[in-house]
Amino acid sequence: MNINATLIGQAIWFAFFIWITMKFVWPPLQRAMQERQKQIADGLAAGERAKADLIQAEHKAAAALTEAKGRATEIIALSEKRAAQIVEEAKTAAKGEGERIIASAKAEIEQEVFRAKEALRNQVADLAVAGAGKILMREVDAKAHTELLAQLKREL
Amino acid sequence: MASGAAQTSSEYITHHLTNLHAGHGFWTFHLDTLIISGAIGLFIFGLMAWAASKASSGVPGKLQNFVEMVVTLVDSQVKDTFHGDRSFITPLAITIFVWVFLMNAMDLIPVDWLPLAGGAVGIHHLKVVPTTDPNLTFAMSLTVFALIYFFNLKVKGVGGFLHEVFTAPFGPWLAPVNLLFRIVEDIAKPISLALRLFGNMYAGEMVFILISLLGLWQLPLALPWALFHILIITLQAFVFMMLTVVYLSMAHEGH
């Protein structure tokens, strides 16, 4: 066992290697490892969050579906009601129209009857005048007797 | 035993235990210790620094993964023992563990290989395992000792440190005893740290050398001893690291 200047050389080597480790090995590795740890933690947190989001979205979707179903039922009921109403309205309108048509037809018929009567009356009056004229063997002055004839027609 | 018939057993052993040296007296340099330990350190810490410089927070590659594994292992040990800013202590512990482990691991190379290869290129003495050189273990333990004092003074201040020296562990009325205890403790720290590593590795190397003297019988013996020695290699590196961390932790926290 002989202690000599090798000791000084070894101490220098030792210090040099400590310096390398302290300067170039430990800090970058520690940084990388911490960063990775953080990334993993972030990833896990993101996964957790995504899971919660998914559950929430499912709840939302279910709620939306229920609401839509409710709305649909409502709309169907409403439309059925409306359809019944329309049918009812149509029936009422049709009935009114029919009555109106019937009334107008009746009026026309009456008018027609009246006109026919009028025509008939005229003819009868003419016939009577012609008959009277033949009987009297002379011309009746139609113009002179217009008033008489009109009175006669009215009486008929 | 391959160095020729002219060599006796004791010559063979002595040859294996002699450093390649240059210089005289105190200014002797054990070139094999300096070069091998330096080369190992440059290789492994260069590799680790290279891996760290390319380290990404994404999926790590094989090398980065391995380096991270070692670093995390050491850091978790430091974290358990040392409470405070680890930006110096952890690199120190990593350096000690990795470097000592690899220097110890040189023991697993069959004892004759590198000396024979060295002999072939004109190097007559070569002690392959740097940690069997007390110069290395003392250099490390004295550096650690200096750090212990540095942190003692830095954290507690001169007054706080002196107060601790004279009052722990028996209180102010037994100040001389406390001082004596402290002196013994502080002398024992670097010496035990250095000699534990040196003794273990030196003895292990010695057993390898003795086994290699057995001729053909070394074959069934060298392998079990090498396997067993892996345990010692790891354990000694770990113990040196742990004790350093514990000492520095004590320097930070006081009694």
Side-chain angles (χ1 to χ4, degrees):
Chain A
M1 221 178 102
N2 39 353
I3 296 294
N4 53 36
T6 311
L7 191 137
I8 298 167
Q10 285 306 142
I12 293 169
W13 270 138
F14 187 39
F16 177 62
F17 295 138
I18 294 171
W19 178 73
I20 289 184
T21 312
M22 202 175 93
K23 211 79 183 169
F24 301 109
V25 177
W26 175 239
L29 276 180
Q30 201 196 21
R31 212 174 307 128
M33 287 191 287
Q34 273 173 355
E35 229 165 80
R36 189 178 312 134
Q37 216 165 13
K38 194 174 161 291
Q39 277 174 4
I40 291 171
D42 286 356
L44 288 176
E48 209 57 40
R49 224 174 18 248
K51 224 173 172 179
D53 283 358
L54 181 66
I55 289 170
Q56 207 180 349
E58 271 170 1
H59 281 322
K60 248 186 205 165
L65 203 64
T66 314
E67 201 198 323
K69 264 183 192 162
R71 284 271 300 279
T73 316
E74 210 173 284
I75 286 169
I76 288 168
L78 211 69
S79 63
E80 267 168 5
K81 208 167 119 192
R82 181 97 185 96
Q85 203 179 341
I86 285 170
V87 168
E88 203 58 41
E89 266 171 20
K91 265 185 192 164
T92 316
K95 215 184 233 173
E97 186 77 2
E99 271 164 11
R100 209 160 48 81
I101 287 170
I102 289 167
S104 84
K106 268 183 184 164
E108 213 164 310
I109 289 165
E110 256 168 39
Q111 218 171 351
E112 222 35 61
V113 167
F114 179 76
R115 215 177 296 150
K117 272 184 182 168
E118 197 77 2
L120 210 58
R121 207 181 277 149
N122 281 344
Q123 277 178 1
V124 169
D126 286 349
L127 215 60
V129 170
K134 266 180 188 161
I135 293 165
L136 295 177
M137 288 304 281
R138 59 168 179 125
E139 282 280 324
V140 178
D141 187 4
K143 275 175 192 156
H145 296 95
T146 306
E147 204 176 323
L148 186 74
L149 284 171
Q151 198 189 341
L152 200 70
K153 272 177 200 168
R154 245 178 275 132
E155 274 167 22
L156 271 169
Chain B
M1 183 169 155
S3 305
Q7 215 176 18
T8 66
S9 293
S10 71
E11 274 169 357
Y12 174 77
I13 293 169
T14 315
H15 177 259
H16 265 284
L17 295 179
T18 308
N19 284 102
L20 175 69
H21 53 81
H24 293 287
F26 176 75
W27 291 105
T28 305
F29 288 97
H30 291 167
L31 297 179
D32 44 7
T33 306
L34 283 168
I35 290 170
I36 291 174
S37 68
I40 290 172
L42 287 177
F43 169 72
I44 190 66
F45 295 114
L47 188 71
M48 283 170 80
W50 182 68
S53 74
K54 300 204 309 171
S56 70
S57 58
V59 179
K62 278 177 186 159
L63 178 66
Q64 191 193 337
N65 201 15
F66 178 73
V67 175
E68 274 184 17
M69 205 179 74
V70 174
V71 165
T72 313
L73 172 92
V74 175
D75 188 41
S76 66
Q77 295 294 334
V78 175
K79 212 186 292 177
D80 288 342
T81 314
F82 182 81
H83 312 287
D85 179 23
R86 302 199 305 280
S87 61
F88 176 75
I89 308 294
T90 296
L92 174 70
I94 294 167
T95 311
I96 290 173
F97 181 70
V98 172
W99 199 32
V100 171
F101 176 79
L102 283 178
M103 289 191 294
N104 289 352
M106 294 297 284
D107 228 355
L108 295 175
I109 299 173
V111 283
D112 276 326
W113 284 14
L114 290 181
L116 276 181
V121 294
I123 298 166
H124 298 297
H125 294 287
L126 189 63
K127 214 170 150 193
V128 177
V129 189
T131 38
T132 57
D133 186 343
N135 284 302
L136 183 143
T137 58
F138 270 106
M140 291 182 77
S141 74
L142 289 175
T143 308
V144 169
F145 185 69
L147 287 171
I148 291 172
Y149 265 74
F150 172 75
F151 281 116
N152 255 321
L153 295 176
K154 188 185 163 202
V155 174
K156 297 165 190 161
V158 179
F161 175 66
L162 288 177
H163 180 261
E164 187 187 283
V165 166
F166 285 109
T167 57
F170 296 125
W173 295 107
L174 286 172
V177 181
N178 291 334
L179 179 64
L180 190 71
F181 267 56
R182 181 64 182 224
I183 290 170
V184 170
E185 189 189 330
D186 277 2
I187 290 174
K189 270 180 193 170
I191 291 180
S192 70
L193 204 56
L195 288 185
R196 182 182 303 107
L197 179 60
F198 163 71
N200 273 284
M201 299 325 294
Y202 191 83
E205 178 77 347
M206 197 64 146
V207 172
F208 273 120
I209 294 170
L210 291 174
I211 286 174
S212 76
L213 277 169
L214 293 174
L216 207 58
W217 283 105
Q218 67 177 287
L219 295 174
L221 285 173
L223 180 66
W225 179 243
L227 292 174
F228 179 64
H229 207 60
I230 293 173
L231 193 68
I232 299 175
I233 285 167
T234 319
L235 195 66
Q236 287 308 316
F238 188 77
V239 164
F240 201 110
M241 175 197 88
M242 263 338 274
L243 281 176
T244 302
V245 174
V246 168
Y247 290 158
L248 288 177
S249 162
M250 277 160 63
H252 276 77
E253 282 162 13
H255 290 278

